[in-house]
Amino acid sequence: MDKVVAGIVAKALDGGEITAAEIRTLFGVDWRSEEAFLMQHASRKMSEATAKGKGEVHGQVGVDVGPCPKNCEYCSFAAKHGVFPEARVQPTAAIVENCLGLEAAGANAIYLMATAAVALPDYLKIAGEVRAALRPETPLVANVDDFDAAGARALRKAGFAGIYHCVRLGEGQVTAIDPRVRVRTILAAKQAGLLLGTSVGPVGPEHTVEELTATTVLTRDLKPVNSAACRRINIPGLPLTAHGSVKYGRMAHILAVVRLASGYDIVGFGTHEPNGMGAMAGANLFWAEQGANPRDTSEATVRGWTVERARHLLEEAGWEPLAGPSVMFGGGQRP
Ligand code: SF4
C-alpha cells in the first residue's frame, strides 16, 4: 500500500480538506490498484456517515426538445448537431403527469429540465403547474439555462428548493458558455436561498488529471448540498464520441476521489448513469429520467432507468432507499 495515498485518504476520512496536489495524486492512481479500492471504501464510508446509510433517487422530467444555442459538443440538443431540428415544448399536462408518476414511484425530489431555448417566464409557468400538482413536501429542483439574481428570486418564489447546475468539464471550450457565467448563476441561486446540486462531468477518457482536479476543486468551493461524478454518454456521430467512454470501473475511482475531496458537508453523492460499481464506491444518489435528455436522441426516453430500478440498484449495493422528501434538498422544507 502506498503510504502517501493512504495518508491522503486518512486525512479526508478524518475530516480534513485535501489539497489540489493531494487530489491530483489520488486521480493519478491506477483504478485497478489496491489504493484505488482503499479510496472507494473510504468514499463509501463517508457517504454512509453523511447519509446515515440512506440512498436517494431523484426524478427528472424534460420540458422541451429542440435546437439549443449553447451548442455543447456532447449534447443531442446542440443546434449544430441537428438531432432535434424543431423546437417543441411538451404539453404541460404531460409534464405534470410525468412528474406525478415519478413522485408516485418514490422519487425523493423532482427536477424540471429545460434547454437554453426555453425562456425563464415560460419555464416558470410550467413549473407553477407542476408545483401545484406535487405533494407540498416534494422538493422541486430547476435544471435550466443560466439566470441572474432576479431569475433566482423568481425560481425560489415559484417553489423551487434548489437547482442542478454545473461548471462542466471543458466549459467554454466544448460549450458556448463562459464558465464564469455558470459560477455567477450558482452564486445568484445561493444568494436567493436555493440549494445547489452539482457534479463533475461529463467525464471522457480524454480528460487529464489536471482538468479533473481543477473542476473538483471548483465544484467543492461552490459548496453544494450534493455533488456527483458522471461519465459522458456518447451520442453516435458526435465529435467527442471518437474519444470513447470512461469505463465504470475507472468512474468508480474518479467518483471516490471527488467524494473524498468534497468532505462531510455534502449529504449525498451521485453518479450517472446508475451503476453498481459506483454505488459500491460511495454513490448514494441516482437519477431516473422521463422525457428527452441531452444524452439521448429520442423525445421520450426513460433510458431504462426508472425510479424502481434505481432504488433496487441502491439496495443491491447496501443502501436503504429513502422514503419521502429528499434530505439532500432540504427534507421537504419548502422555501
Ligand atoms: S447541455 Fe444543456 S446548455 Fe448544452 S446544448 Fe445541451 S441543453 Fe443546451
Side-chain angles (χ1 to χ4, degrees), residues 173-244:
Q173 292 157 10
V174 297
T175 74
I177 309 174
D178 186 325
R180 289 169 299 187
V181 172
R182 305 293 284 176
V183 172
R184 271 207 299 273
T185 297
I186 288 170
L187 296 180
K190 291 176 71 113
Q191 183 72 27
L194 293 159
L195 303 172
L196 171 67
T198 192
S199 81
V200 172
V203 184
E206 74 278 15
H207 290 120
T208 62
V209 163
E210 206 46 59
E211 289 172 290
L212 292 171
T213 302
T215 303
T216 300
V217 172
L218 173 61
T219 298
R220 172 177 70 189
D221 290 350
L222 292 169
K223 304 217 173 303
V225 292
N226 62 70
S227 190
C230 305
R231 79 173 184 177
R232 180 178 63 240
I233 304 296
N234 287 318
I235 309 274
L238 301 198
L240 293 178
T241 300
H243 293 291

Side-chain angles (χ1 to χ4, degrees), residues 1-290:
M1 175 66 63
D2 183 300
K3 285 206 174 71
V4 174
V5 170
I8 299 169
V9 170
K11 177 182 172 184
L13 269 184
D14 286 346
E17 184 174 280
I18 59 176
T19 65
E22 289 169 335
I23 294 168
R24 239 176 257 126
T25 299
L26 298 189
F27 275 133
V29 165
D30 186 308
W31 58 272
R32 292 148 295 200
S33 66
E34 186 182 2
E35 287 78 11
F37 282 92
L38 174 80
M39 284 178 229
Q40 290 170 48
H41 183 249
S43 156
R44 184 185 177 114
K45 272 169 79 174
M46 204 178 247
S47 287
E48 278 173 358
T50 55
K52 300 182 176 62
K54 300 265 177 32
E56 297 193 12
V57 177
H58 297 177
Q60 173 159 277
V61 173
V63 162
D64 66 310
V65 293
C68 177
K70 304 301 179 186
N71 273 327
C72 304
E73 289 285 359
Y74 40 77
C75 176
S76 57
F77 296 134
K80 65 179 177 184
H81 298 324
V83 177
F84 293 106
E86 212 181 296
R88 196 159 62 249
V89 177
Q90 307 296 340
T92 303
I95 294 168
V96 170
E97 193 185 319
N98 279 342
C99 290
L100 289 176
L102 289 167
E103 184 189 57
N108 307 106
I110 302 295
Y111 298 28
L112 268 189
M113 182 186 68
T115 71
V118 177
L120 191 60
D122 297 334
Y123 177 83
L124 288 169
K125 250 186 242 160
I126 297 165
E129 305 260 343
V130 171
R131 181 66 277 175
L134 290 174
R135 290 183 211 125
E137 67 273 19
T138 300
L140 189 59
V141 178
N143 183 354
V144 281
D145 190 18
D146 289 286
F147 48 80
D148 59 11
R153 287 193 295 274
L155 286 166
R156 168 123 181 167
K157 198 164 163 222
F160 282 94
I163 60 164
Y164 178 79
H165 216 75
C166 315
V167 182
R168 285 87 48 97
L169 284 160
E171 196 78 76
Q173 292 157 10
V174 297
T175 74
I177 309 174
D178 186 325
R180 289 169 299 187
V181 172
R182 305 293 284 176
V183 172
R184 271 207 299 273
T185 297
I186 288 170
L187 296 180
K190 291 176 71 113
Q191 183 72 27
L194 293 159
L195 303 172
L196 171 67
T198 192
S199 81
V200 172
V203 184
E206 74 278 15
H207 290 120
T208 62
V209 163
E210 206 46 59
E211 289 172 290
L212 292 171
T213 302
T215 303
T216 300
V217 172
L218 173 61
T219 298
R220 172 177 70 189
D221 290 350
L222 292 169
K223 304 217 173 303
V225 292
N226 62 70
S227 190
C230 305
R231 79 173 184 177
R232 180 178 63 240
I233 304 296
N234 287 318
I235 309 274
L238 301 198
L240 293 178
T241 300
H243 293 291
S245 289
V246 179
K247 299 204 181 315
Y248 279 129
R250 164 78 171 142
M251 271 314 298
H253 167 217
I254 291 171
L255 84 83
V257 179
V258 181
R259 211 290 165 236
L260 289 172
S262 303
Y264 288 96
D265 286 343
I266 60 164
V267 176
F269 196 86
T271 195
H272 200 69
E273 297 197 333
N275 69 93
M277 282 179 258
M280 286 301 290
N284 63 334
L285 167 61
F286 288 148
W287 290 272
E289 294 168 321
Q290 290 271 352

